[in-house]
Amino acid sequence: MNRPNWKKVALIATDIVLGAYIVFTFTAFNKPDERTRLCTKVSIDIQDETTNGFIDTKEIKARLEKVRLYPLGKPLKDVNARMIEERLVSSPFVKTAECYKTQDGHVNIRITQRMPTVRVKAVNGEDYYLDDNNLIMPNSHYTSDLIIATGYISRWYAQNYIAHLINALTASDLWRNQIEQVNVLRDYTVELVPRVGNHIIHLGKLPESSQRQQRKQLVTEFTNKKMDRLEKFYRYGLSQAGWNKYSYIDLEFDNQIICKKRTLKR
């Protein structure tokens, strides 16, 4: 039976320990000090910035600087990514915010904006937007080709009825580009103002329901039915008679379209 060579075993063990020490020392000397490493760059990526335009990188920087959360020049250990995210999503125009740090001293911020679908300018003076979740967004410097809803519109009515009407209209390329204004009269009948053609389109009252899902379905079906009739009238009626022949097109009653001729000035 061969006995182990203890001198050889001891030598191998010494080599292993020495190797581990060298690796540890090399890593320790080359690893940046967590306490002194600074943020050298901040990258802000705003999704849909050109489409929505509610916020830009300057505004994000200013918002973080105001509460001393802008990370540039700060030790990375003092950069609180979660606090930055929470501060940004508190903005009424921010949908989601993500912040993370990298080993090279960079801080990356990614933001998605809330998507506006309609601007509401009510007779009571309120001026705001609805987003794609039918939630209220405050007015801002934002400009776009969104449909504007005017008239006797409470916030509840805007969120529960006008939002569904707008969604049904904008689901169609034709009506998204043709309709520029929805106007609600005192009796809650609805009128549309087109971009092309000097006339008013009368839809009547939107169907009512106390059930949220049923309300959405009823308003959508109502709008689609009315606009299908209007499209046929545009195609086979106005295209022959002329776009400026009528001042008022009434779609309120089923199976008929009532038009008021424009009075010619002498």
Side-chain angles (χ1 to χ4, degrees):
M1 184 175 181
N2 294 327
R3 294 183 179 180
N5 188 335
W6 295 110
K7 290 184 178 181
K8 186 175 182 180
V9 171
L11 183 61
I12 293 174
T14 302
D15 289 343
I16 292 175
V17 173
L18 182 60
Y21 175 77
I22 292 174
V23 170
F24 172 79
T25 304
F26 179 81
T27 303
F29 274 103
N30 285 275
K31 184 179 180 181
D33 191 340
E34 294 284 347
R35 295 169 298 177
T36 60
R37 197 184 344 163
L38 302 179
C39 170
T40 57
K41 181 180 179 181
V42 178
S43 297
I44 301 176
D45 178 21
I46 303 176
Q47 302 294 307
D48 304 321
E49 183 174 4
T50 57
T51 303
N52 288 11
F54 276 106
I55 51 178
D56 54 27
T57 54
K58 290 183 179 179
E59 186 172 344
I60 293 301
K61 179 180 178 181
R63 177 176 286 269
L64 294 177
E65 286 179 336
K66 185 177 181 180
V67 292
R68 299 180 181 179
L69 286 176
Y70 193 66
L72 188 63
K74 292 184 177 181
L76 283 182
K77 69 178 184 64
D78 293 335
V79 176
N80 191 321
R82 175 166 293 186
M83 286 186 64
I84 290 175
E85 292 171 350
E86 292 176 350
R87 181 65 186 182
L88 292 178
V89 295
S90 68
S91 166
F93 305 117
V94 174
K95 187 175 185 179
T96 64
E98 178 187 10
C99 178
Y100 61 93
K101 299 176 281 187
T102 62
Q103 292 294 328
D104 55 2
H106 293 181
V107 173
N108 298 281
I109 299 172
R110 297 190 64 188
I111 291 172
T112 60
Q113 302 184 70
R114 293 171 64 184
M115 183 70 72
T117 58
V118 60
R119 182 174 182 178
V120 178
K121 299 182 72 174
V123 293
N124 61 8
E126 289 191 314
D127 187 349
Y128 54 89
Y129 296 92
L130 293 181
D131 70 5
D132 51 352
N133 290 315
N134 302 343
L135 299 176
I136 302 293
M137 299 175 64
N139 186 19
S140 74
H141 54 76
Y142 176 73
T143 58
S144 75
D145 292 329
L146 291 177
I147 295 175
I148 297 176
T150 58
Y152 294 85
I153 306 174
S154 66
R155 292 198 172 200
W156 183 89
Y157 188 78
Q159 292 178 285
N160 290 277
Y161 285 93
I162 295 300
H164 302 316
L165 170 64
I166 295 299
N167 289 337
L169 290 174
T170 55
S172 162
D173 290 338
L174 172 61
W175 304 125
R176 183 171 58 252
N177 293 294
Q178 168 66 347
I179 304 302
E180 66 177 359
Q181 183 180 347
V182 171
N183 187 50
V184 180
L185 303 180
R186 189 184 293 272
D187 62 356
Y188 286 96
T189 55
V190 175
E191 296 177 336
L192 306 180
V193 180
R195 297 182 191 276
V196 179
N198 190 17
H199 54 263
I200 300 297
I201 303 159
H202 183 74
L203 295 185
K205 284 188 178 181
L206 300 179
E208 299 179 357
S209 174
S210 59
Q211 302 297 320
R212 178 183 302 179
Q213 194 59 36
Q214 185 183 42
R215 184 189 308 135
K216 177 181 178 181
Q217 181 180 348
L218 289 174
V219 173
T220 301
E221 291 176 350
F222 170 89
T223 305
N224 291 339
K225 184 178 180 180
K226 300 289 186 183
M227 302 314 286
D228 284 345
R229 289 170 57 203
L230 180 62
E231 182 179 359
K232 292 176 182 177
F233 180 70
Y234 272 6
R235 182 173 300 175
Y236 303 111
L238 287 190
S239 62
Q240 302 295 325
W243 285 88
N244 294 317
K245 182 175 182 178
Y246 302 109
S247 62
Y248 205 78
I249 300 174
D250 193 341
L251 303 173
E252 181 174 5
F253 304 103
D254 292 338
N255 302 320
Q256 62 178 323
I257 297 177
I258 302 173
C259 299
K260 181 179 179 181
K261 286 186 178 180
R262 183 174 307 282
T263 302
L264 298 177
K265 295 182 179 180
R266 295 183 179 179

